[in-house]
Amino acid sequence: MNKKYFGPVFTVGILCFYMLLCSFTPAADTLKSSGFKLKKIIIDAGHGGKDAGAKGLSSLEKNVALAIARKLQAAIQAQIPDVATVMTRSDDTFIELRRRSDIANKSQGNLFISIHCNSSAEGTAYRARKQSGVMLLVYGLKRAGEQLEAMRENASILIEQDQQKYEALDATDPANAIILDAFTKKYRKQSIHFGEFLNQEFTETDGRPSIGVREQSLYVLANSAMPAVLIETGFINNPEEETYLNSEEGQQQIVQSIIRAIMAYRAALTIQ
C-alpha cells in the first residue's frame, strides 16, 4: 500500500471499529433492555384425565392440583390484575408434557408455575413422623440444553410481546449463541430466586415444613423457555397433609403464599 494512503485508511479503520464497539450491546445489557417484566404467568395444573398422579386415602393429585391452580388464577386476577394468566388445563383433561411446554412458550409467558402434590414410599397408612412439607423444583443442569433448544425455537422471547410470528434462531450464529446462553443462565437464576421466595413464604409465613429448593430433571421445566418452578404442595399420601391439601383453608393458604412470592419476585425484578 502507498504510504501516503496508509495513515488515512488506518484512521478510518480505527474509527469504524470504535463505532462497531459502541453499537454492540453486551449480553447483560440486552437482558436488561429486553426486560424481565412480569406480564404473564403460566399456571400448570399437574396430571389430569387418565393421568391421576399420586393417590391419597380419598383423593387424587390431579384434582387437588387443578383446584389449587384455579384458585391461584382467580387470586392473581383479583390481587395482581395487571398480570395475565394462562392455564395449561382448566378441567380434567390429559395434557401431554410437550403440549404444556408448547402452551407456555407460544403464550410467551414470563413465569411458569406448575402445581403438584408429592408422595413418598411410605404409603397412605397413618404412622408417626411421616414425610411432610413442600418442595420447590427447578430444572437441573443436565437438561439445560433442552431449555436452550426451546428458546431457540421461539425467537420472539428475545423481543417485545407483540410479535406473533415464531422463527427459529440460527444456532450457528455466534451472536445468537451468546444471547441464548445468557438467557438460559438468567432464567435458571430467576427460577431459583422465585423458588426461594416461595420457600420463605411457605416456611416463615405459614410455618410449614419444607424440603427446600431442589434441582430435578423434569421435562416440563426444562422445555419452558422462561423462569419455571414446580411446587410440590404437600404429601398427599400423608393423611394429615391430604386433609390440608383438600381443605378450602389449606388451598387458600397455599395460594396466598404463592401470591406473596409472586409479588416479592416482581418487586425484586424492578430493582435489578
Side-chain angles (χ1 to χ4, degrees), residues 28-233:
D29 292 341
T30 302
L31 292 176
K32 186 174 181 181
S33 62
S34 296
F36 252 81
K37 294 180 181 178
L38 191 56
K39 298 179 181 179
K40 187 179 294 181
I41 295 175
I42 311 301
I43 303 172
D44 175 53
H47 307 282
K50 63 183 180 181
D51 178 12
K55 299 178 181 179
L57 282 170
S58 59
S59 63
L60 301 175
E61 178 183 2
K62 67 173 184 175
N63 297 329
V64 174
L66 181 59
I68 294 173
R70 284 173 171 170
K71 287 182 173 66
L72 177 58
Q73 183 183 44
I76 292 172
Q77 291 171 345
Q79 298 175 245
I80 322 175
D82 58 323
V83 174
T85 58
V86 173
M87 298 274 283
T88 58
R89 72 177 179 100
S90 299
D91 54 24
D92 187 20
T93 302
F94 174 71
I95 307 291
E96 296 87 350
L97 293 179
R98 182 175 181 82
R99 175 64 181 149
R100 293 171 190 266
S101 298
D102 286 345
I103 291 170
N105 295 335
K106 290 179 180 179
S107 298
Q108 295 182 297
N110 308 117
L111 180 63
F112 184 90
I113 301 175
S114 190
I115 307 295
H116 286 255
C117 299
N118 216 336
S119 184
S120 65
E122 302 165 299
T124 57
Y126 286 89
R127 66 180 65 174
R129 295 184 296 278
K130 285 198 73 170
Q131 183 73 65
S132 63
V134 299
M135 180 165 64
L136 298 316
L137 300 177
V138 299
Y139 75 90
L141 285 173
K142 292 180 181 179
R143 303 196 78 142
E146 293 178 48
Q147 187 179 55
L148 188 65
E149 182 60 32
M151 291 166 59
R152 185 177 292 118
E153 291 174 358
N154 290 278
S156 55
I157 63 171
L158 303 178
I159 59 174
E160 289 298 321
Q161 300 239 50
D162 57 1
Q163 178 164 327
Q164 298 299 315
K165 186 177 181 181
Y166 292 83
E167 296 178 354
L169 288 178
D170 180 4
T172 63
D173 187 331
N176 286 343
I178 291 171
I179 293 173
L180 286 169
D181 181 63
F183 266 89
T184 302
K185 291 176 181 176
K186 184 72 171 179
Y187 286 162
R188 176 175 167 75
K189 179 181 177 181
Q190 294 296 350
S191 298
I192 295 171
H193 200 36
F194 179 56
E196 289 170 345
F197 279 124
L198 286 165
N199 196 55
Q200 180 177 336
E201 291 300 332
F202 282 126
T203 58
E204 296 182 14
T205 304
D206 295 336
R208 298 198 57 205
S210 174
I211 298 171
V213 181
R214 296 286 185 269
E215 284 187 5
Q216 200 163 117
S217 296
L218 299 174
Y219 182 96
V220 73
L221 297 182
N223 287 274
S224 297
M226 63 198 69
V229 174
L230 186 148
I231 305 173
E232 297 281 12
T233 55

Side-chain angles (χ1 to χ4, degrees), residues 4-15:
K4 71 175 181 178
Y5 294 113
F6 181 77
V9 170
F10 181 76
T11 301
V12 170
I14 290 295
L15 180 60

